[in-house]
Amino acid sequence: MSNILNKKQPLFTFVIVFILSLSLLGCSSESINNSGDSSSESENMLTFAWPRDSGDLNPHLYNPSQLFAQSMVFEPLVSYQEDGELKPHLAESWEISDDGREYIFNLRQNVKFSDGTVFNAQVVKKNFDAILNNIDLHSWLGFIPKVAQTEVVDEYTFKLTLTESYYPTIQELAVVRPVRFLGEAGFPEDGDTSKGITTPVGTGPWVLDEYKVDEYAIFKRNENYWGELPSEEKIKVKVIPDAETRVLAFEKGELDLVYGEGVISLDSFKQLESTGSYETSISEPIATRQLVMNTNKEQLSDIRVRQALHYGFNKEAMVEGVTSGLEEKADYILPTNFPYTSNVRATTVNYDSEKAKQLLDEAGWKLPKGKDIREKDGQPLEIELMYNSAESIQKTMAETLQSEWAGIGVKLNIAGVELTTQVERFKANEFDMNFFSNYGAPYDPHTFVNIVATEGFGFRESISAYPNKEELLTQIAEVQQTTDENERQILYTEILGSLQEQGAIVPISYIKQVAIYQKNVSNFTFPANRDEHPFTGISIEK
């Protein structure tokens, strides 16, 4: 079985960091580049708000640095684009050996860092080696523990050798961190970037210009940029932790743009949209909101019970009502705009309370005369659903499920807990049901199926009653290592279809990003990579 399945602690650490970063909670960091107040503002500057400080922009580390800001300054070898297409970026092309172990990257020439120094294979190797010298920090990324050697072939050719075949390598090179490239001037004397960097020098279209910790960051256009220069000269990021304050600032015209996940409530978004005074955008699905049922629990070990619960609530009405139509009912456990997901075949479930009751009867859970809760062998059909108490959507969906399942004779107890508790209980298999969402582009589908197969996280234990569990685990190990594209597609189709058919992972809705911006902002587009900045091509008329 692939090595990543044995890396459960780094993988779990990644999950904690990833979920916390999406939650937009916490305090900002100290800064090494505090230049004081901005004395004047460029007319050709776009201003938006973010709940947290941008951080020190170390490309090789994680929180508190914010993903969008890191992606403005630092670039990858490979870029993740629409429909999961992987395109050349700092690497113009690449070749993969027949055994899937050797990767040769032909680097783009005439690329300079923002300080004017040259981007070449030597600096690529220096960045890789800095990451590999702190492998425990980064082994959540599947290919990192498999790197056997990094090599400068010539000035613009870099070779990466793995210990074994691992197909997601190219896709993982597109993530925002940690494999992006810092210029020589940014490295400390000992080369250990895990302790901090000297200055955030990258090849990206933006350069950090002014910064006041917990107040704002201003990025200016990188005039040395090798690609098409941005239309805007500057991007200003105001740190506004409170969501209502962000809305007020936008309404006052102090902000040109608000975008992302959780940076504005859905009610506020709909209210602002309804005025007709602003432009709005909604992204394609970036993840699936899921309900995970623990088959270790006796009540949920029977597939007929799991199927009955799926049939027993009006998913479409719930999603429409709770999200004001901004999310859409999900038929599949991963969005179909991800790689290898468009061909998945699984039974799509529509609301049918009578079928739900029939399935519960068949499973032996009968409704005694004069009672509201079904019983089997004298035990009530009582289940607990855990949700993140800070997530209003999870709370409202939990309350809806509680009401709807009562109609088919199921007692649902709902428990709101803090995010860290939710993750810890999931990991420890101490739950009946739990809300979850996958990681999105460019992580999935391989990261999601790896999580399912990882011991000690929660999924592997929760699917323990699946009759084909061992076959699934074998297929997940195989799909990472196959070098045959057709075989890989077949494996993913079988894995994702089987996971859904067994009913322990119920797709609820497709999560989307939202953006609202002033009328003078144009050419806003959401990046295909969930974590990238959205400023490519954006322009503003002052």
Side-chain angles (χ1 to χ4, degrees), residues 287-291 310 330-336 338 341 344 346 437-438 444 448-449 452 495-501 504-510:
T288 306
R289 195 182 302 277
Q290 304 163 347
L291 187 65
H310 199 170
D331 287 327
Y332 302 100
I333 59 177
L334 292 182
T336 56
F338 288 3
T341 61
V344 173
S437 67
N438 61 289
D444 290 327
F448 177 72
V449 300
V452 169
I495 292 166
L496 296 172
S498 181
L499 285 173
Q500 183 164 334
E501 287 292 337
I505 305 171
V506 175
I508 301 292
S509 62
Y510 293 131

PDB file of all heavy atoms in Angstrom, residues 287-291 310 330-336 338 341 344 346 437-438 444 448-449 452 495-501 504-510:
ATOM      1  N   ALA A 287     -16.385  22.354  -3.769  1.00  0.00           N
ATOM      2  CA  ALA A 287     -16.334  21.244  -2.814  1.00  0.00           C
ATOM      3  C   ALA A 287     -17.750  20.734  -2.609  1.00  0.00           C
ATOM      4  O   ALA A 287     -18.721  21.363  -3.037  1.00  0.00           O
ATOM      5  CB  ALA A 287     -15.732  21.700  -1.486  1.00  0.00           C
ATOM      6  N   THR A 288     -17.855  19.592  -1.946  1.00  0.00           N
ATOM      7  CA  THR A 288     -19.168  19.030  -1.611  1.00  0.00           C
ATOM      8  C   THR A 288     -19.347  19.017  -0.101  1.00  0.00           C
ATOM      9  O   THR A 288     -18.479  18.536   0.630  1.00  0.00           O
ATOM     10  CB  THR A 288     -19.315  17.591  -2.129  1.00  0.00           C
ATOM     11  OG1 THR A 288     -19.030  17.554  -3.517  1.00  0.00           O
ATOM     12  CG2 THR A 288     -20.739  17.088  -1.919  1.00  0.00           C
ATOM     13  N   ARG A 289     -20.470  19.546   0.346  1.00  0.00           N
ATOM     14  CA  ARG A 289     -20.852  19.420   1.742  1.00  0.00           C
ATOM     15  C   ARG A 289     -21.432  18.015   1.906  1.00  0.00           C
ATOM     16  O   ARG A 289     -22.378  17.637   1.205  1.00  0.00           O
ATOM     17  CB  ARG A 289     -21.898  20.484   2.088  1.00  0.00           C
ATOM     18  CG  ARG A 289     -22.119  20.689   3.573  1.00  0.00           C
ATOM     19  CD  ARG A 289     -23.203  21.737   3.803  1.00  0.00           C
ATOM     20  NE  ARG A 289     -22.887  23.017   3.200  1.00  0.00           N
ATOM     21  CZ  ARG A 289     -22.115  23.946   3.746  1.00  0.00           C
ATOM     22  NH1 ARG A 289     -21.540  23.704   4.912  1.00  0.00           N
ATOM     23  NH2 ARG A 289     -21.893  25.096   3.145  1.00  0.00           N
ATOM     24  N   GLN A 290     -20.875  17.249   2.824  1.00  0.00           N
ATOM     25  CA  GLN A 290     -21.250  15.841   2.971  1.00  0.00           C
ATOM     26  C   GLN A 290     -21.743  15.539   4.380  1.00  0.00           C
ATOM     27  O   GLN A 290     -21.408  16.246   5.337  1.00  0.00           O
ATOM     28  CB  GLN A 290     -20.039  14.939   2.678  1.00  0.00           C
ATOM     29  CG  GLN A 290     -19.405  15.141   1.323  1.00  0.00           C
ATOM     30  CD  GLN A 290     -18.011  14.549   1.254  1.00  0.00           C
ATOM     31  OE1 GLN A 290     -17.412  14.186   2.255  1.00  0.00           O
ATOM     32  NE2 GLN A 290     -17.475  14.445   0.042  1.00  0.00           N
ATOM     33  N   LEU A 291     -22.524  14.485   4.485  1.00  0.00           N
ATOM     34  CA  LEU A 291     -22.935  13.942   5.775  1.00  0.00           C
ATOM     35  C   LEU A 291     -22.321  12.554   5.877  1.00  0.00           C
ATOM     36  O   LEU A 291     -22.576  11.689   5.038  1.00  0.00           O
ATOM     37  CB  LEU A 291     -24.459  13.858   5.851  1.00  0.00           C
ATOM     38  CG  LEU A 291     -25.070  13.452   7.198  1.00  0.00           C
ATOM     39  CD1 LEU A 291     -24.786  14.523   8.246  1.00  0.00           C
ATOM     40  CD2 LEU A 291     -26.573  13.254   7.043  1.00  0.00           C
ATOM     41  N   HIS A 310     -31.177   8.784   3.768  1.00  0.00           N
ATOM     42  CA  HIS A 310     -30.941   9.590   2.565  1.00  0.00           C
ATOM     43  C   HIS A 310     -32.269   9.909   1.880  1.00  0.00           C
ATOM     44  O   HIS A 310     -32.520  11.053   1.478  1.00  0.00           O
ATOM     45  CB  HIS A 310     -29.998   8.845   1.623  1.00  0.00           C
ATOM     46  CG  HIS A 310     -29.335   9.724   0.609  1.00  0.00           C
ATOM     47  ND1 HIS A 310     -28.308   9.295  -0.194  1.00  0.00           N
ATOM     48  CD2 HIS A 310     -29.559  11.006   0.244  1.00  0.00           C
ATOM     49  CE1 HIS A 310     -27.928  10.272  -0.991  1.00  0.00           C
ATOM     50  NE2 HIS A 310     -28.671  11.321  -0.748  1.00  0.00           N
ATOM     51  N   ALA A 330     -26.453  18.399  -4.178  1.00  0.00           N
ATOM     52  CA  ALA A 330     -25.369  17.569  -4.696  1.00  0.00           C
ATOM     53  C   ALA A 330     -25.868  16.150  -4.940  1.00  0.00           C
ATOM     54  O   ALA A 330     -26.448  15.530  -4.044  1.00  0.00           O
ATOM     55  CB  ALA A 330     -24.197  17.549  -3.719  1.00  0.00           C
ATOM     56  N   ASP A 331     -25.616  15.639  -6.120  1.00  0.00           N
ATOM     57  CA  ASP A 331     -25.963  14.253  -6.435  1.00  0.00           C
ATOM     58  C   ASP A 331     -24.792  13.300  -6.213  1.00  0.00           C
ATOM     59  O   ASP A 331     -24.994  12.094  -6.065  1.00  0.00           O
ATOM     60  CB  ASP A 331     -26.433  14.142  -7.888  1.00  0.00           C
ATOM     61  CG  ASP A 331     -27.829  14.729  -8.093  1.00  0.00           C
ATOM     62  OD1 ASP A 331     -28.648  14.639  -7.161  1.00  0.00           O
ATOM     63  OD2 ASP A 331     -28.079  15.282  -9.173  1.00  0.00           O
ATOM     64  N   TYR A 332     -23.568  13.847  -6.197  1.00  0.00           N
ATOM     65  CA  TYR A 332     -22.375  12.995  -6.095  1.00  0.00           C
ATOM     66  C   TYR A 332     -21.468  13.501  -4.973  1.00  0.00           C
ATOM     67  O   TYR A 332     -21.464  14.696  -4.645  1.00  0.00           O
ATOM     68  CB  TYR A 332     -21.628  12.956  -7.423  1.00  0.00           C
ATOM     69  CG  TYR A 332     -22.486  12.443  -8.554  1.00  0.00           C
ATOM     70  CD1 TYR A 332     -23.088  13.320  -9.454  1.00  0.00           C
ATOM     71  CD2 TYR A 332     -22.737  11.075  -8.698  1.00  0.00           C
ATOM     72  CE1 TYR A 332     -23.903  12.849 -10.479  1.00  0.00           C
ATOM     73  CE2 TYR A 332     -23.543  10.595  -9.717  1.00  0.00           C
ATOM     74  CZ  TYR A 332     -24.127  11.488 -10.600  1.00  0.00           C
ATOM     75  OH  TYR A 332     -24.939  11.011 -11.606  1.00  0.00           O
ATOM     76  N   ILE A 333     -20.659  12.605  -4.412  1.00  0.00           N
ATOM     77  CA  ILE A 333     -19.856  12.966  -3.249  1.00  0.00           C
ATOM     78  C   ILE A 333     -18.695  13.902  -3.585  1.00  0.00           C
ATOM     79  O   ILE A 333     -18.152  14.528  -2.686  1.00  0.00           O
ATOM     80  CB  ILE A 333     -19.340  11.722  -2.491  1.00  0.00           C
ATOM     81  CG1 ILE A 333     -18.495  10.824  -3.381  1.00  0.00           C
ATOM     82  CG2 ILE A 333     -20.483  10.957  -1.876  1.00  0.00           C
ATOM     83  CD1 ILE A 333     -17.914   9.634  -2.644  1.00  0.00           C
ATOM     84  N   LEU A 334     -18.322  14.025  -4.863  1.00  0.00           N
ATOM     85  CA  LEU A 334     -17.376  15.043  -5.300  1.00  0.00           C
ATOM     86  C   LEU A 334     -17.981  15.776  -6.487  1.00  0.00           C
ATOM     87  O   LEU A 334     -18.691  15.171  -7.302  1.00  0.00           O
ATOM     88  CB  LEU A 334     -16.028  14.431  -5.706  1.00  0.00           C
ATOM     89  CG  LEU A 334     -15.171  13.800  -4.606  1.00  0.00           C
ATOM     90  CD1 LEU A 334     -13.854  13.288  -5.192  1.00  0.00           C
ATOM     91  CD2 LEU A 334     -14.905  14.772  -3.464  1.00  0.00           C
ATOM     92  N   PRO A 335     -17.703  17.066  -6.621  1.00  0.00           N
ATOM     93  CA  PRO A 335     -18.205  17.785  -7.794  1.00  0.00           C
ATOM     94  C   PRO A 335     -17.711  17.141  -9.082  1.00  0.00           C
ATOM     95  O   PRO A 335     -16.586  16.622  -9.148  1.00  0.00           O
ATOM     96  CB  PRO A 335     -17.609  19.194  -7.621  1.00  0.00           C
ATOM     97  CG  PRO A 335     -17.384  19.333  -6.150  1.00  0.00           C
ATOM     98  CD  PRO A 335     -16.986  17.958  -5.694  1.00  0.00           C
ATOM     99  N   THR A 336     -18.522  17.172 -10.110  1.00  0.00           N
ATOM    100  CA  THR A 336     -18.176  16.502 -11.360  1.00  0.00           C
ATOM    101  C   THR A 336     -17.266  17.333 -12.246  1.00  0.00           C
ATOM    102  O   THR A 336     -16.926  16.903 -13.347  1.00  0.00           O
ATOM    103  CB  THR A 336     -19.455  16.131 -12.136  1.00  0.00           C
ATOM    104  OG1 THR A 336     -20.237  17.311 -12.347  1.00  0.00           O
ATOM    105  CG2 THR A 336     -20.276  15.118 -11.358  1.00  0.00           C
ATOM    106  N   PHE A 338     -14.234  18.083 -11.227  1.00  0.00           N
ATOM    107  CA  PHE A 338     -12.892  17.703 -10.800  1.00  0.00           C
ATOM    108  C   PHE A 338     -12.351  16.609 -11.729  1.00  0.00           C
ATOM    109  O   PHE A 338     -13.126  15.908 -12.376  1.00  0.00           O
ATOM    110  CB  PHE A 338     -12.911  17.157  -9.370  1.00  0.00           C
ATOM    111  CG  PHE A 338     -13.135  18.189  -8.306  1.00  0.00           C
ATOM    112  CD1 PHE A 338     -13.365  19.518  -8.618  1.00  0.00           C
ATOM    113  CD2 PHE A 338     -13.115  17.835  -6.969  1.00  0.00           C
ATOM    114  CE1 PHE A 338     -13.567  20.470  -7.642  1.00  0.00           C
ATOM    115  CE2 PHE A 338     -13.315  18.768  -5.967  1.00  0.00           C
ATOM    116  CZ  PHE A 338     -13.547  20.097  -6.307  1.00  0.00           C
ATOM    117  N   THR A 341     -13.876  12.647 -12.101  1.00  0.00           N
ATOM    118  CA  THR A 341     -15.161  12.539 -11.408  1.00  0.00           C
ATOM    119  C   THR A 341     -16.362  12.595 -12.351  1.00  0.00           C
ATOM    120  O   THR A 341     -17.479  12.275 -11.928  1.00  0.00           O
ATOM    121  CB  THR A 341     -15.322  13.666 -10.366  1.00  0.00           C
ATOM    122  OG1 THR A 341     -15.275  14.939 -11.035  1.00  0.00           O
ATOM    123  CG2 THR A 341     -14.228  13.598  -9.317  1.00  0.00           C
ATOM    124  N   VAL A 344     -18.366   9.168 -12.882  1.00  0.00           N
ATOM    125  CA  VAL A 344     -18.822   8.377 -11.741  1.00  0.00           C
ATOM    126  C   VAL A 344     -20.308   8.078 -11.886  1.00  0.00           C
ATOM    127  O   VAL A 344     -21.117   8.963 -12.195  1.00  0.00           O
ATOM    128  CB  VAL A 344     -18.553   9.120 -10.421  1.00  0.00           C
ATOM    129  CG1 VAL A 344     -19.191   8.386  -9.247  1.00  0.00           C
ATOM    130  CG2 VAL A 344     -17.051   9.245 -10.195  1.00  0.00           C
ATOM    131  N   ALA A 346     -23.472   6.565  -9.804  1.00  0.00           N
ATOM    132  CA  ALA A 346     -24.021   6.160  -8.511  1.00  0.00           C
ATOM    133  C   ALA A 346     -25.496   6.543  -8.494  1.00  0.00           C
ATOM    134  O   ALA A 346     -25.920   7.460  -9.198  1.00  0.00           O
ATOM    135  CB  ALA A 346     -23.281   6.853  -7.369  1.00  0.00           C
ATOM    136  N   SER A 437     -16.585  18.443   4.525  1.00  0.00           N
ATOM    137  CA  SER A 437     -16.493  18.856   3.118  1.00  0.00           C
ATOM    138  C   SER A 437     -15.109  18.501   2.610  1.00  0.00           C
ATOM    139  O   SER A 437     -14.134  18.535   3.369  1.00  0.00           O
ATOM    140  CB  SER A 437     -16.754  20.354   2.942  1.00  0.00           C
ATOM    141  OG  SER A 437     -15.735  21.128   3.525  1.00  0.00           O
ATOM    142  N   ASN A 438     -15.035  18.130   1.349  1.00  0.00           N
ATOM    143  CA  ASN A 438     -13.738  17.746   0.780  1.00  0.00           C
ATOM    144  C   ASN A 438     -12.886  18.980   0.521  1.00  0.00           C
ATOM    145  O   ASN A 438     -13.314  20.115   0.761  1.00  0.00           O
ATOM    146  CB  ASN A 438     -13.943  16.953  -0.516  1.00  0.00           C
ATOM    147  CG  ASN A 438     -14.670  17.745  -1.570  1.00  0.00           C
ATOM    148  OD1 ASN A 438     -15.875  18.000  -1.451  1.00  0.00           O
ATOM    149  ND2 ASN A 438     -13.964  18.155  -2.613  1.00  0.00           N
ATOM    150  N   ASP A 444      -8.223  17.369  -4.868  1.00  0.00           N
ATOM    151  CA  ASP A 444      -9.065  16.196  -5.092  1.00  0.00           C
ATOM    152  C   ASP A 444      -9.106  15.780  -6.559  1.00  0.00           C
ATOM    153  O   ASP A 444      -8.861  16.614  -7.437  1.00  0.00           O
ATOM    154  CB  ASP A 444     -10.494  16.504  -4.601  1.00  0.00           C
ATOM    155  CG  ASP A 444     -10.561  16.615  -3.088  1.00  0.00           C
ATOM    156  OD1 ASP A 444      -9.788  15.894  -2.426  1.00  0.00           O
ATOM    157  OD2 ASP A 444     -11.357  17.413  -2.580  1.00  0.00           O
ATOM    158  N   PHE A 448      -8.967  13.285  -1.193  1.00  0.00           N
ATOM    159  CA  PHE A 448     -10.181  12.778  -0.544  1.00  0.00           C
ATOM    160  C   PHE A 448     -10.128  11.260  -0.378  1.00  0.00           C
ATOM    161  O   PHE A 448     -10.408  10.737   0.710  1.00  0.00           O
ATOM    162  CB  PHE A 448     -11.423  13.172  -1.345  1.00  0.00           C
ATOM    163  CG  PHE A 448     -12.696  12.627  -0.771  1.00  0.00           C
ATOM    164  CD1 PHE A 448     -13.211  13.139   0.405  1.00  0.00           C
ATOM    165  CD2 PHE A 448     -13.369  11.576  -1.389  1.00  0.00           C
ATOM    166  CE1 PHE A 448     -14.381  12.625   0.962  1.00  0.00           C
ATOM    167  CE2 PHE A 448     -14.533  11.061  -0.851  1.00  0.00           C
ATOM    168  CZ  PHE A 448     -15.037  11.590   0.328  1.00  0.00           C
ATOM    169  N   VAL A 449      -9.759  10.533  -1.419  1.00  0.00           N
ATOM    170  CA  VAL A 449      -9.734   9.070  -1.283  1.00  0.00           C
ATOM    171  C   VAL A 449      -8.600   8.625  -0.359  1.00  0.00           C
ATOM    172  O   VAL A 449      -8.710   7.608   0.325  1.00  0.00           O
ATOM    173  CB  VAL A 449      -9.677   8.350  -2.655  1.00  0.00           C
ATOM    174  CG1 VAL A 449     -10.882   8.696  -3.498  1.00  0.00           C
ATOM    175  CG2 VAL A 449      -8.394   8.635  -3.400  1.00  0.00           C
ATOM    176  N   VAL A 452      -9.991   8.866   3.066  1.00  0.00           N
ATOM    177  CA  VAL A 452     -10.897   7.741   3.320  1.00  0.00           C
ATOM    178  C   VAL A 452     -10.104   6.508   3.749  1.00  0.00           C
ATOM    179  O   VAL A 452     -10.547   5.737   4.598  1.00  0.00           O
ATOM    180  CB  VAL A 452     -11.746   7.428   2.069  1.00  0.00           C
ATOM    181  CG1 VAL A 452     -12.488   6.104   2.214  1.00  0.00           C
ATOM    182  CG2 VAL A 452     -12.741   8.560   1.809  1.00  0.00           C
ATOM    183  N   ILE A 495     -14.140   3.471  -7.280  1.00  0.00           N
ATOM    184  CA  ILE A 495     -13.951   3.883  -5.888  1.00  0.00           C
ATOM    185  C   ILE A 495     -15.047   4.862  -5.460  1.00  0.00           C
ATOM    186  O   ILE A 495     -15.729   4.660  -4.447  1.00  0.00           O
ATOM    187  CB  ILE A 495     -12.564   4.532  -5.689  1.00  0.00           C
ATOM    188  CG1 ILE A 495     -11.448   3.493  -5.854  1.00  0.00           C
ATOM    189  CG2 ILE A 495     -12.469   5.200  -4.315  1.00  0.00           C
ATOM    190  CD1 ILE A 495     -10.064   4.109  -6.019  1.00  0.00           C
ATOM    191  N   LEU A 496     -15.213   5.937  -6.227  1.00  0.00           N
ATOM    192  CA  LEU A 496     -16.172   6.970  -5.844  1.00  0.00           C
ATOM    193  C   LEU A 496     -17.608   6.460  -5.930  1.00  0.00           C
ATOM    194  O   LEU A 496     -18.453   6.796  -5.080  1.00  0.00           O
ATOM    195  CB  LEU A 496     -15.979   8.208  -6.719  1.00  0.00           C
ATOM    196  CG  LEU A 496     -14.624   8.911  -6.552  1.00  0.00           C
ATOM    197  CD1 LEU A 496     -14.448  10.011  -7.596  1.00  0.00           C
ATOM    198  CD2 LEU A 496     -14.488   9.502  -5.145  1.00  0.00           C
ATOM    199  N   GLY A 497     -17.884   5.641  -6.943  1.00  0.00           N
ATOM    200  CA  GLY A 497     -19.220   5.075  -7.065  1.00  0.00           C
ATOM    201  C   GLY A 497     -19.552   4.156  -5.903  1.00  0.00           C
ATOM    202  O   GLY A 497     -20.645   4.209  -5.329  1.00  0.00           O
ATOM    203  N   SER A 498     -18.600   3.311  -5.529  1.00  0.00           N
ATOM    204  CA  SER A 498     -18.822   2.362  -4.440  1.00  0.00           C
ATOM    205  C   SER A 498     -18.978   3.067  -3.100  1.00  0.00           C
ATOM    206  O   SER A 498     -19.841   2.706  -2.296  1.00  0.00           O
ATOM    207  CB  SER A 498     -17.665   1.365  -4.370  1.00  0.00           C
ATOM    208  OG  SER A 498     -17.870   0.434  -3.346  1.00  0.00           O
ATOM    209  N   LEU A 499     -18.147   4.085  -2.852  1.00  0.00           N
ATOM    210  CA  LEU A 499     -18.261   4.839  -1.602  1.00  0.00           C
ATOM    211  C   LEU A 499     -19.659   5.431  -1.449  1.00  0.00           C
ATOM    212  O   LEU A 499     -20.244   5.422  -0.364  1.00  0.00           O
ATOM    213  CB  LEU A 499     -17.218   5.962  -1.566  1.00  0.00           C
ATOM    214  CG  LEU A 499     -15.777   5.557  -1.286  1.00  0.00           C
ATOM    215  CD1 LEU A 499     -14.844   6.742  -1.453  1.00  0.00           C
ATOM    216  CD2 LEU A 499     -15.633   4.976   0.124  1.00  0.00           C
ATOM    217  N   GLN A 500     -20.201   5.933  -2.548  1.00  0.00           N
ATOM    218  CA  GLN A 500     -21.523   6.545  -2.475  1.00  0.00           C
ATOM    219  C   GLN A 500     -22.637   5.508  -2.374  1.00  0.00           C
ATOM    220  O   GLN A 500     -23.585   5.684  -1.606  1.00  0.00           O
ATOM    221  CB  GLN A 500     -21.746   7.446  -3.692  1.00  0.00           C
ATOM    222  CG  GLN A 500     -23.075   8.185  -3.653  1.00  0.00           C
ATOM    223  CD  GLN A 500     -23.116   9.334  -4.631  1.00  0.00           C
ATOM    224  OE1 GLN A 500     -22.098   9.904  -4.997  1.00  0.00           O
ATOM    225  NE2 GLN A 500     -24.318   9.684  -5.061  1.00  0.00           N
ATOM    226  N   GLU A 501     -22.536   4.424  -3.134  1.00  0.00           N
ATOM    227  CA  GLU A 501     -23.600   3.415  -3.152  1.00  0.00           C
ATOM    228  C   GLU A 501     -23.808   2.786  -1.775  1.00  0.00           C
ATOM    229  O   GLU A 501     -24.925   2.420  -1.416  1.00  0.00           O
ATOM    230  CB  GLU A 501     -23.279   2.317  -4.172  1.00  0.00           C
ATOM    231  CG  GLU A 501     -23.445   2.741  -5.623  1.00  0.00           C
ATOM    232  CD  GLU A 501     -24.894   3.007  -6.012  1.00  0.00           C
ATOM    233  OE1 GLU A 501     -25.804   2.479  -5.341  1.00  0.00           O
ATOM    234  OE2 GLU A 501     -25.114   3.759  -6.970  1.00  0.00           O
ATOM    235  N   ALA A 504     -22.666   5.554   3.339  1.00  0.00           N
ATOM    236  CA  ALA A 504     -22.129   6.173   4.549  1.00  0.00           C
ATOM    237  C   ALA A 504     -21.688   7.609   4.302  1.00  0.00           C
ATOM    238  O   ALA A 504     -21.515   8.372   5.257  1.00  0.00           O
ATOM    239  CB  ALA A 504     -20.954   5.364   5.093  1.00  0.00           C
ATOM    240  N   ILE A 505     -21.490   7.973   3.044  1.00  0.00           N
ATOM    241  CA  ILE A 505     -21.123   9.346   2.699  1.00  0.00           C
ATOM    242  C   ILE A 505     -22.250   9.900   1.833  1.00  0.00           C
ATOM    243  O   ILE A 505     -22.429   9.491   0.683  1.00  0.00           O
ATOM    244  CB  ILE A 505     -19.778   9.406   1.955  1.00  0.00           C
ATOM    245  CG1 ILE A 505     -18.679   8.722   2.775  1.00  0.00           C
ATOM    246  CG2 ILE A 505     -19.398  10.855   1.671  1.00  0.00           C
ATOM    247  CD1 ILE A 505     -17.371   8.547   2.028  1.00  0.00           C
ATOM    248  N   VAL A 506     -23.016  10.804   2.392  1.00  0.00           N
ATOM    249  CA  VAL A 506     -24.189  11.352   1.708  1.00  0.00           C
ATOM    250  C   VAL A 506     -23.863  12.746   1.186  1.00  0.00           C
ATOM    251  O   VAL A 506     -23.565  13.649   1.977  1.00  0.00           O
ATOM    252  CB  VAL A 506     -25.398  11.421   2.658  1.00  0.00           C
ATOM    253  CG1 VAL A 506     -26.590  12.102   1.987  1.00  0.00           C
ATOM    254  CG2 VAL A 506     -25.775  10.025   3.145  1.00  0.00           C
ATOM    255  N   PRO A 507     -23.896  12.953  -0.124  1.00  0.00           N
ATOM    256  CA  PRO A 507     -23.669  14.299  -0.649  1.00  0.00           C
ATOM    257  C   PRO A 507     -24.865  15.197  -0.337  1.00  0.00           C
ATOM    258  O   PRO A 507     -26.011  14.808  -0.560  1.00  0.00           O
ATOM    259  CB  PRO A 507     -23.518  14.066  -2.158  1.00  0.00           C
ATOM    260  CG  PRO A 507     -24.265  12.793  -2.428  1.00  0.00           C
ATOM    261  CD  PRO A 507     -24.144  11.963  -1.191  1.00  0.00           C
ATOM    262  N   ILE A 508     -24.596  16.380   0.186  1.00  0.00           N
ATOM    263  CA  ILE A 508     -25.669  17.308   0.549  1.00  0.00           C
ATOM    264  C   ILE A 508     -25.780  18.446  -0.474  1.00  0.00           C
ATOM    265  O   ILE A 508     -26.794  18.622  -1.134  1.00  0.00           O
ATOM    266  CB  ILE A 508     -25.437  17.906   1.953  1.00  0.00           C
ATOM    267  CG1 ILE A 508     -25.367  16.790   2.996  1.00  0.00           C
ATOM    268  CG2 ILE A 508     -26.541  18.911   2.287  1.00  0.00           C
ATOM    269  CD1 ILE A 508     -26.660  16.069   3.225  1.00  0.00           C
ATOM    270  N   SER A 509     -24.694  19.226  -0.599  1.00  0.00           N
ATOM    271  CA  SER A 509     -24.734  20.373  -1.512  1.00  0.00           C
ATOM    272  C   SER A 509     -23.355  20.671  -2.038  1.00  0.00           C
ATOM    273  O   SER A 509     -22.341  20.290  -1.457  1.00  0.00           O
ATOM    274  CB  SER A 509     -25.301  21.607  -0.794  1.00  0.00           C
ATOM    275  OG  SER A 509     -24.466  21.968   0.300  1.00  0.00           O
ATOM    276  N   TYR A 510     -23.319  21.367  -3.162  1.00  0.00           N
ATOM    277  CA  TYR A 510     -22.055  21.813  -3.734  1.00  0.00           C
ATOM    278  C   TYR A 510     -21.758  23.224  -3.222  1.00  0.00           C
ATOM    279  O   TYR A 510     -22.536  24.157  -3.426  1.00  0.00           O
ATOM    280  CB  TYR A 510     -22.118  21.802  -5.257  1.00  0.00           C
ATOM    281  CG  TYR A 510     -22.233  20.414  -5.851  1.00  0.00           C
ATOM    282  CD1 TYR A 510     -23.200  20.126  -6.808  1.00  0.00           C
ATOM    283  CD2 TYR A 510     -21.374  19.393  -5.454  1.00  0.00           C
ATOM    284  CE1 TYR A 510     -23.304  18.855  -7.359  1.00  0.00           C
ATOM    285  CE2 TYR A 510     -21.471  18.122  -5.985  1.00  0.00           C
ATOM    286  CZ  TYR A 510     -22.447  17.855  -6.942  1.00  0.00           C
ATOM    287  OH  TYR A 510     -22.547  16.595  -7.465  1.00  0.00           O
TER     288      TYR A 510
END
